[in-house]
Every structure is written in C-alpha cells, then in structure tokens.
Amino acid sequence: MMNSEEKSLPEKLADDIVDYILREKLQPGDRLPNESILAETLGAGRSSLREAVKLLASRNIVTVRQGSGTYISSTPGMVEDPLGFTFIEDKKKLAEDLLEIRFLLEPSIAAKAAENASADDAEHILDLCAEAERLLEEGSDHTAKDIEFHTAIGMSSKNMVVPRLIPIINSSIPLFIDLTENVLSRETIDTHREIADAILSHDPVRAHDAMYLHLVYNRRRIHSV
Amino acid sequence: MMNSEEKSLPEKLADDIVDYILREKLQPGDRLPNESILAETLGAGRSSLREAVKLLASRNIVTVRQGSGTYISSTPGMVEDPLGFTFIEDKKKLAEDLLEIRFLLEPSIAAKAAENASADDAEHILDLCAEAERLLEEGSDHTAKDIEFHTAIGMSSKNMVVPRLIPIINSSIPLFIDLTENVLSRETIDTHREIADAILSHDPVRAHDAMYLHLVYNRRRIHSV
C-alpha cells in the first residue's frame, strides 16, 4: 500500500524494528530492548527511534507502558477496524453484506469447531453462551459477549486465520443490534445454545446447521427493519 | 483494542479528526483543511495536531503530500497486513488455513460476480487474466496481478465487504507462490480463464465450479510441497 521510496526515516526504522522482532522471535508480552540499546543495534538516532516506536504503537505492534518499557502487543498488527468500515456510509448495506459473508464462513467454521474443540474450548463456549443469554434476557448490551462467543467458536476451529477474521466480520453484530434496537430474540438464545451443545458433543453437522439457522434468523430480522 | 482512558492527546485528537472526516463526509482524494484552520476547528495545538496526522497517515486514513496538503486516502483505514500475518511463524500452516478460508468464500463470490458483473467489470477481469497468464508464461512474478484478478472478481460481486477482504485472504497467494517456487502451472492458467469466461457469460454455476477447481489445484500443489 506504501512504496518504500515514499517512506520517511521513522517509517523505515519501524520496518527495521519489525524485522528485528521477527528475527529475534519476540513473542506477545516480550519487552523490546531499551531505547539506547535498540538505537545502537539498529544504527539509529534516539529521536527517530522514538517516532518509529509511536508508529508501531499506532499499528498495535507494540504497546508502550510508561515507566516500564515497550512490549510486543498481545495480537501484534491487529488494528481496530482494519477494513475501514468506519468510512463506509451505507450501514444497512454494510450489515447485509457482512451477514452474507458470515453465511459463507460461519456454518463451516462451527462444524470445524465441533470437530476440533478441546474440552476446555467447549466449556468456554458454553460459559460465553450463558453470559450472552443472561445479558440478553436482562435487556443489557450483549454485543461484546456475542462477538466473544463467535470468536471462541472460531478459535476452536484451530484455523489460525479464523480468530483474526471473525471479530472483523462480526462488526456486523453491533450494526445489526443497532438496526434491530436490541430487541430480545428467543431464536438468538435458542440457536446460540444449540450451536454450543453441538460443539460440546462434537457433532459437526448439527453445529453447521444450527449456525446456519442462527444466521437465517438474523437475516430475517435485518430484512424486517 | 485500546481503551480511551489509555489514549494520549495525539491519539484522542486523531479520533476527533476521524469524526470530523465522517461529519463532513470527506471522500477519498478530498483535502483536509490546512493546519491552522483544522487546529482552530478542533481546538487543538498545532504540534499535537501534527502528531495526530502522523498517526492517521500510519493507519492509511490520510496521505500527506509534501508541499501540497493532507488528503483522505483512496481506501481509508485499510492498512498493510491488517491481520498481522507477518507475525505468524508457521507460514505453511498459515497458507493452508488461508486456502481453507478461500474455499469457503471464493466459489460463492465468483458466482455472485457472474450474476452482477457489468460489461466493464467483465472486460477488466479478462484483461487481468490475460496479463497474469503472460507473466506466468514468461516466468515473471505474477503475484500482484493474481491478487488484482481475484480482487476484481470480488469487486464485481457488488458485496462491499468483499474487495476489502479478498486482498487479505489472498496474502496466501505470495505465500503459496513462495512455497511452490513459482512453478508454471497449466491448471492455474486454464482455470483462471474459465472463471473469467464464466463471469463474462453471466454463468454463476460455472463460475462457482471453475473457482472451486482453481482452489483444488492450488491445494494439491501446496500438499505436494
């Protein structure tokens, strides 16, 4: 998206730090060397280095903790709203199009989760299901819990791309809850529970179909708006 | 991903500028007001404002052209490697998992493209197909053209999420070309052409199947590595 000729010194230095992180195999939570050591290692001035670290922080590659140091972020490189949905004006069409993508992905992902979920995974999914249910029943905002539920299913599929993809696709959930004004839906609760049960009992076909049904109910509600 | 309490002044100001862009409905290519006007509008100091603009540039929301001004980017908010694949070590598993996602998405997207492509869309897809073919046949790097080809199909589906998603998913293409050492594949050329022809003749079933076959050949080649 950016040609290297157009890059400023701090931008080039940010790339060097990324290379350093990869070369040294630094993991989420690991600390970067302190400023003077890193400046020497990379042959850079300290003020350019500070600029470069700010750029990496804005891309969520590192997290700066004041007085403590600079650490590799927990999901390095995953930024908020990475597809720039903030800048799409037609939110109704966006919600429909996101739901269309969810139809393509989530039933098969639920099936893979039913195949691959560990006992801990399944228990975690059941917990999230119960919590979302409780929030929905008491009329509280269940958006975050809903996204956590679908992300946990994605994690259980053991496809390493899915947990990074699902929270983005599921940005349709807040849009959708907005559009439908958070009306309590019996079908949402019931299909959530059926998906969770199917994963717990390692039944991929039932997990697939329950997720499909869940999305059908969602689409009907969007279309009735 | 970041709580607002943890945000620095430039970060908060960057959020204010995003709100301003949305409120004023600025479009890709539009220019932001100059620094002094924007500073006054947002009630901000000029040095904080300059920091904030740098943060927005690193998130590809704006582009700073020296001596000309600050412009809204062509795809605002879409950053390079938004899912942080750079930081995943096991590239073989990553390529396989990305291909698995492509199987879920791309055949249906090709079918929708066959339904919705305009005459211009179809011609553009044919051109890209021919160019990728030429590069592949002369043994040149066809990665970028390949991603353009698949992105153009995504555009033609008229789902507004797809063109933002496809380039990310298709980061499997460079990984894959690396893994298979860019060996010329007759099947790749043939299935590319069949997909393009099916879209041109608005045949969704044939487009779906040709894309599926294309992915099957890709998966066989990864598995033979």
Side-chain angles (χ1 to χ4, degrees):
Chain A
M1 235 153 285
M2 233 186 264
N3 295 323
S4 59
E5 310 88 62
E6 297 164 6
K7 287 189 175 179
S8 68
L9 182 59
E11 282 163 354
K12 284 182 197 151
L13 204 47
D15 290 345
D16 290 344
I17 299 173
V18 168
D19 289 342
Y20 176 87
I21 292 170
L22 293 172
R23 199 167 56 238
E24 300 291 323
K25 298 187 192 301
L26 296 185
Q27 299 301 314
D30 284 354
R31 220 178 94 167
L32 275 186
N34 73 39
E35 206 173 86
S36 56
I37 293 176
L38 196 57
E40 202 182 307
T41 309
L42 302 175
R46 291 174 70 152
S47 73
S48 306
L49 186 65
R50 224 166 289 148
E51 287 287 309
V53 167
K54 277 186 202 164
L55 291 177
L56 293 177
S58 79
R59 288 165 56 197
N60 191 35
I61 290 170
V62 301
T63 306
V64 180
R65 297 192 206 134
Q66 290 310 332
S68 163
T70 301
Y71 296 82
I72 312 302
S73 302
S74 55
T75 49
M78 275 287 300
V79 298
E80 246 176 293
D81 187 26
L83 302 193
F85 292 149
T86 312
F87 298 92
I88 292 183
E89 264 187 83
D90 187 345
K91 298 297 183 202
K92 175 108 194 274
K93 165 104 170 104
L94 177 59
E96 285 174 0
D97 287 357
L98 279 166
L99 197 55
E100 187 170 83
I101 302 295
R102 291 184 64 193
F103 265 96
L104 299 180
L105 293 174
E106 293 203 40
S108 297
I109 288 170
K112 280 202 76 85
E115 284 168 6
N116 297 330
S118 67
D120 281 354
D121 290 336
E123 203 178 314
H124 182 50
I125 290 169
L126 278 177
D127 285 349
L128 291 169
C129 176
E131 278 186 75
E133 196 168 313
R134 190 180 56 72
L135 291 172
L136 200 61
E137 269 172 350
E138 71 181 35
S140 307
D141 183 7
H142 61 291
T143 316
K145 208 47 80 181
D146 216 12
I147 294 180
E148 261 188 78
F149 174 73
H150 288 276
T151 305
I153 294 171
M155 293 280 289
S156 305
S157 76
K158 309 300 180 199
N159 177 311
M160 65 206 297
V161 178
V162 168
R164 289 164 186 252
L165 204 53
I166 288 297
I168 302 170
I169 305 304
N170 288 13
S171 42
S172 72
I173 293 175
L175 287 170
F176 166 70
I177 288 175
D178 259 16
L179 285 170
T180 57
E181 288 169 335
N182 196 20
V183 181
L184 176 96
S185 151
R186 193 68 244 166
E187 289 91 351
T188 303
I189 293 182
D190 289 348
T191 48
H192 262 192
R193 186 148 291 279
E194 196 183 339
I195 297 163
D197 285 344
I199 291 171
L200 184 68
S201 51
H202 298 294
D203 185 337
V205 174
R206 197 167 145 239
H208 178 283
D209 290 353
M211 181 65 88
Y212 201 93
L213 206 57
H214 179 64
L215 294 171
V216 167
Y217 288 131
N218 281 354
R219 186 144 66 191
R220 289 201 170 157
R221 291 179 70 216
I222 285 195
H223 283 173
S224 69
V225 172
Chain B
M1 236 153 281
M2 233 187 264
N3 295 322
S4 58
E5 310 88 64
E6 295 165 8
K7 287 189 175 178
S8 69
L9 182 60
E11 281 163 354
K12 283 181 197 153
L13 205 46
D15 290 344
D16 290 344
I17 299 173
V18 168
D19 289 342
Y20 175 86
I21 292 170
L22 294 172
R23 200 167 56 239
E24 300 291 323
K25 300 189 191 301
L26 296 184
Q27 299 301 315
D30 286 353
R31 220 179 94 166
L32 274 187
N34 73 38
E35 207 174 86
S36 56
I37 293 177
L38 196 57
E40 203 182 306
T41 309
L42 301 175
R46 290 174 69 153
S47 74
S48 306
L49 186 66
R50 222 165 290 147
E51 288 287 309
V53 167
K54 277 186 202 163
L55 291 178
L56 292 176
S58 78
R59 288 163 57 197
N60 190 36
I61 290 170
V62 301
T63 307
V64 181
R65 296 192 207 135
Q66 290 308 331
S68 164
T70 302
Y71 296 82
I72 313 299
S73 301
S74 56
T75 48
M78 275 286 302
V79 298
E80 244 175 297
D81 186 26
L83 302 192
F85 292 149
T86 312
F87 298 93
I88 292 183
E89 264 187 84
D90 187 344
K91 299 296 185 204
K92 176 109 195 272
K93 165 106 171 102
L94 177 58
E96 285 174 358
D97 286 357
L98 280 166
L99 197 55
E100 187 170 82
I101 301 295
R102 292 184 64 193
F103 264 95
L104 298 180
L105 292 173
E106 294 204 40
S108 298
I109 288 170
K112 280 201 76 82
E115 285 168 6
N116 298 330
S118 68
D120 281 356
D121 290 337
E123 204 178 313
H124 182 49
I125 290 168
L126 278 176
D127 285 350
L128 290 169
C129 176
E131 280 186 74
E133 197 168 314
R134 190 180 55 73
L135 291 172
L136 200 61
E137 268 172 349
E138 71 181 37
S140 307
D141 184 6
H142 62 291
T143 316
K145 209 45 81 183
D146 215 12
I147 293 181
E148 261 188 77
F149 174 72
H150 287 277
T151 305
I153 294 171
M155 294 279 288
S156 305
S157 76
K158 310 301 179 195
N159 177 310
M160 65 207 295
V161 177
V162 167
R164 290 165 184 254
L165 204 54
I166 288 296
I168 302 171
I169 305 304
N170 288 13
S171 44
S172 73
I173 293 175
L175 286 170
F176 166 71
I177 288 174
D178 259 17
L179 285 170
T180 57
E181 287 168 335
N182 196 20
V183 181
L184 176 94
S185 150
R186 194 67 244 164
E187 289 92 351
T188 303
I189 292 181
D190 290 347
T191 48
H192 262 194
R193 186 146 292 277
E194 196 184 339
I195 296 163
D197 286 343
I199 291 172
L200 184 69
S201 52
H202 297 294
D203 186 338
V205 174
R206 197 167 145 240
H208 177 283
D209 290 353
M211 182 64 87
Y212 202 93
L213 207 57
H214 179 64
L215 295 171
V216 167
Y217 288 132
N218 281 354
R219 186 145 65 192
R220 287 202 172 155
R221 290 179 69 216
I222 285 194
H223 283 174
S224 70
V225 172

